[in-house]
């Protein structure tokens, strides 16, 4: 379906295309923070999203020279082994792997965009709130997959939608589909909440899979995954390790 045109310069796209960054630290301590996928930008067209994805790491302060391996998926690229949705793959000298990918969701809030694919957010907003759903399958060697489930303008709307993300047919699904189902009303973290500060829902299916539904924003992604943000994180971790010795 073609996007709805509201004026000569504005459209309401049916779909939103989200550029995501995942960093695999290959470190047990680092992987405790699930999901590791962050949304760093949204565009109204696939073309605009792909163009941004090719420069996403640059926008976060990295240079190609920072990586031992840096590869981009292009129409003439042969032997691409990093998945259809991955646009950029990079590997740091310390073996951390960076995956820039694109995920697509419906434009449920009828957000507007320019015809070039850039978003037009109302009320002075500069970013969206994203719902991420992570599935952890311990039967498949702890296989972890994360997908974007929706993008919302208001944080409270995103939290409310996150509560229902795993309940297709209503509240009864919690008992019918899950052996354990934990949800919280907001993002204030109770002392007995062990699932992560951004996680709204945790569930365990009768088949054994674990699910986490969380909220993430681009500012958090840039703070945690940008070059200087990661440098600060690793420095703090190193100091903590030295103190504990």
């Amino acid at each position: 379906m073609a996007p709805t045109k509201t004026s000569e310069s504005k459209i309401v796209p049916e779909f939103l295309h989200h550029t995501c960054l995942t960093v695999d630290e290959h470190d047990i301590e680092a992987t405790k923070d699930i999901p590791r996928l962050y949304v760093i930008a949204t565009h109204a067209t696939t073309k605009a999203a792909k163009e941004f994805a090719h420069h996403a790491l640059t926008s976060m302060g990295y240079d190609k020279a920072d990586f031992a391996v840096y590869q981009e998926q292009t129409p003439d690229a042969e032997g691409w082994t990093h998945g259809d949705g991955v646009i950029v793959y990079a590997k740091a000298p310390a073996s951390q792997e960076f995956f820039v990918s694109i995920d697509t969701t419906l434009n449920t809030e009828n957000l507007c965009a320019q015809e070039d694919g850039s978003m037009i957010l109302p009320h002075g907003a500069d970013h969206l709130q994203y719902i991420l759903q992570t599935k952890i399958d311990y039967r498949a060697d702890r296989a972890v997959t994360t997908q974007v489930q929706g993008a919302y303008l208001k944080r409270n709307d995103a939290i409310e939608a996150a509560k229902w993300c795993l309940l297709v047919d209503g509240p009864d699904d919690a008992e019918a589909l899950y052996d354990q189902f934990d949800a919280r009303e907001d993002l204030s973290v109770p002392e007995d909440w062990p699932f992560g500060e951004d996680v709204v829902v945790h569930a365990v299916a009768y088949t054994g899979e674990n699910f986490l539904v969380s909220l993430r924003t681009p500012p958090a992604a840039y703070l945690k995954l940008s070059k200087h943000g990661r440098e600060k994180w690793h420095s703090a971790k190193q100091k903590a390790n030295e103190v504990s010795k």
Side-chain angles (χ1 to χ4, degrees):
M1 182 183 295
T4 302
K5 198 165 185 177
T6 61
S7 70
E8 291 186 1
S9 60
K10 293 183 181 180
I11 60 173
V12 179
E14 182 181 7
F15 297 101
L16 299 178
H17 307 278
H18 314 292
T19 302
C20 307
L21 175 61
T22 302
V23 180
D24 193 336
E25 299 282 355
H26 295 289
D27 182 310
I28 293 176
E29 290 300 318
T31 57
K32 286 182 179 180
D33 184 19
I34 297 174
R36 291 167 294 138
L37 179 148
Y38 286 76
V39 182
I40 56 178
T42 291
H43 294 84
T45 65
T46 304
K47 179 182 178 182
K50 286 185 176 180
E51 288 177 352
F52 176 83
H54 281 288
H55 304 286
L57 291 176
T58 303
S59 76
M60 303 186 83
Y62 296 98
D63 295 316
K64 291 183 180 181
D66 292 326
F67 303 102
V69 178
Y70 187 94
Q71 300 172 338
E72 297 184 24
Q73 186 185 42
T74 58
D76 57 350
E78 296 182 1
W80 185 256
T81 61
H82 306 298
D84 293 338
V86 176
I87 306 299
V88 174
Y89 167 81
K91 188 173 184 178
S95 295
Q96 300 97 332
E97 294 181 289
F98 293 68
F99 301 85
V100 180
S101 60
I102 294 176
D103 204 347
T104 300
T105 64
L106 286 170
N107 182 13
T108 55
E109 294 204 319
N110 295 318
L111 298 171
C112 292
Q114 301 282 5
E115 290 189 344
D116 65 0
S118 58
M119 301 303 300
I120 305 172
L121 301 183
H123 313 305
D126 61 0
H127 66 270
L128 294 169
Q129 312 283 333
Y130 298 94
I131 299 175
L132 305 183
Q133 180 179 306
T134 296
K135 176 182 175 183
I136 310 169
D137 192 344
Y138 291 96
R139 302 170 302 173
D141 194 24
R142 192 181 161 85
V144 179
T145 56
T146 302
Q147 293 181 316
V148 183
Q149 295 295 306
Y152 293 83
L153 189 64
K154 295 180 179 180
R155 195 168 184 80
N156 287 341
D157 292 341
I159 293 173
E160 192 61 30
K163 296 176 189 176
W164 296 94
C165 189
L166 298 176
L167 305 177
V168 179
D169 296 320
D172 292 342
D173 276 356
E175 184 174 348
L177 299 178
Y178 303 104
D179 185 44
Q180 180 181 345
F181 190 90
D182 308 286
R184 53 183 173 145
E185 288 300 314
D186 53 44
L187 291 184
S188 60
V189 184
E191 293 182 0
D192 59 348
W193 185 260
F195 308 113
E197 62 181 4
D198 295 316
V199 175
V200 180
V201 176
H202 165 263
V204 181
Y206 288 108
T207 50
E209 298 95 339
N210 278 242
F211 295 89
L212 298 169
V213 180
S214 61
L215 232 60
R216 291 290 170 100
T217 65
Y222 277 81
L223 180 64
K224 186 177 181 66
L225 300 180
S226 65
K227 180 178 179 179
H228 297 301
R230 282 173 47 78
E231 289 173 349
K232 291 178 181 178
W233 181 78
H234 282 292
S235 177
K237 181 181 176 183
Q238 184 177 4
K239 289 180 180 179
N241 290 337
E242 291 174 353
V243 170
S244 64
K245 289 181 180 179

